[in-house]
Amino acid sequence: MSLLTLAPGLTYYPDYLDRPAQERLLQALREITKAAPLFTPRMPRTGKPFSVRMTNCGRLGWVSDVQGYRYQPTHPETGGPWPPMPEQVLRAWEALSGYPHPPDACLINFYEPTARMGLHQDKDEDAFDAPVVSLSLGDTALFRYGGVERKDPTRSVRLRSGDAIVFGGPARLIHHGVDRVMPGSSDLLPQAGRLNLTLRKVEKPL
Ligand code: SIN
Ligand code: MN
């Protein structure tokens, strides 16, 4: 497994999942979206739609609507529980997180070719001692990351299908986002677009 330290606490694992593993994960995500369809999150207060669509698996899922950002145990449209995390996702967490407890949440973002995600911090969790583990599938994304302060300088890295990135320790609260997706850069998905999974521990372990 090759890895590259991009900043203290920020580790990049190019080609973490080989092609057969990517195909298995894609199949698992198809099953998940049958039970928990992609929904369009909205910005707190304004209700402006995000350009990504999302769903979750695991005990808790991250949602956003006019009332705010939060984790909840049910899908906002179906009202049903989130599907369980696939074994493969749990194995990636065990291999990459260095954290002794399983993740509570796995957010699944789907980017159409024009979707993007503004610079933000992942800070709706109570457990910042656990890292965030991210897995990418499909088209390449230009992923931007900076520091803990919004004004800190930023750099970018191209996240390709199968790549993993982990941010923990001094990088747990870095700003990050996706400037753009490069349509047609991968043939994993039948259509252009990108899937990203972010695995998180939400609640402090007992
Ligand atoms: C996120 O920060 O929620 C997603 C990041 C990504 O799509 O790589
Ligand atoms: Mn994030």
Side-chain angles (χ1 to χ4, degrees):
M1 184 162 69
S2 71
L3 62 86
L4 213 65
T5 301
L6 300 178
L10 177 63
T11 315
Y12 170 46
Y13 299 85
D15 300 316
Y16 176 67
L17 299 173
D18 63 15
R19 177 76 184 212
Q22 293 171 40
E23 284 167 4
R24 280 199 305 280
L25 181 54
L26 178 60
Q27 195 47 45
L29 296 181
R30 288 198 173 112
E31 295 302 318
I32 286 168
T33 55
K34 276 185 205 157
L38 291 166
F39 60 92
T40 299
R42 292 180 175 272
M43 290 297 290
R45 290 186 304 279
T46 64
K48 185 174 180 284
F50 284 42
S51 60
V52 296
R53 285 185 294 150
M54 57 180 59
T55 189
N56 291 270
C57 58
R59 206 167 56 74
L60 292 173
W62 189 86
V63 301
S64 180
D65 58 23
V66 284
Q67 283 150 36
Y69 306 136
R70 64 192 174 276
Y71 284 94
Q72 62 180 43
T74 53
H75 190 287
E77 291 172 0
T78 69
W82 304 107
M85 276 187 225
E87 195 54 42
Q88 203 183 356
V89 165
L90 293 169
R91 281 204 309 272
W93 172 271
E94 281 163 18
L96 299 176
S97 71
Y99 194 73
H101 305 278
D104 296 318
C106 172
L107 172 65
I108 302 162
N109 283 133
F110 177 68
Y111 294 75
E112 304 275 359
T114 54
R116 49 178 62 221
M117 181 157 317
L119 214 60
H120 66 277
Q121 293 169 293
D122 287 9
K123 57 176 184 188
D124 300 321
E125 301 75 30
D126 294 326
F128 293 144
D129 58 327
V132 174
V133 172
S134 144
L135 301 172
S136 293
L137 291 179
D139 284 337
T140 301
L142 195 59
F143 179 83
R144 181 172 295 280
Y145 60 93
V148 172
E149 302 298 332
R150 194 167 180 93
K151 61 175 177 9
D152 288 340
T154 63
R155 304 184 66 160
S156 45
V157 60
R158 282 180 165 71
L159 295 182
R160 297 188 172 82
S161 196
D163 290 354
I165 196 162
V166 178
F167 41 104
R172 175 61 182 76
L173 289 170
I174 57 166
H175 286 77
H176 60 280
V178 171
D179 288 347
R180 65 191 172 93
V181 170
M182 294 151 190
S185 46
S186 161
D187 64 0
L188 183 75
L189 308 185
Q191 78 275 46
R194 168 176 186 258
L195 285 160
N196 175 263
L197 282 68
T198 43
L199 286 60
R200 303 166 186 152
K201 180 83 185 105
V202 177
E203 293 174 338
K204 287 202 177 97
L206 294 176

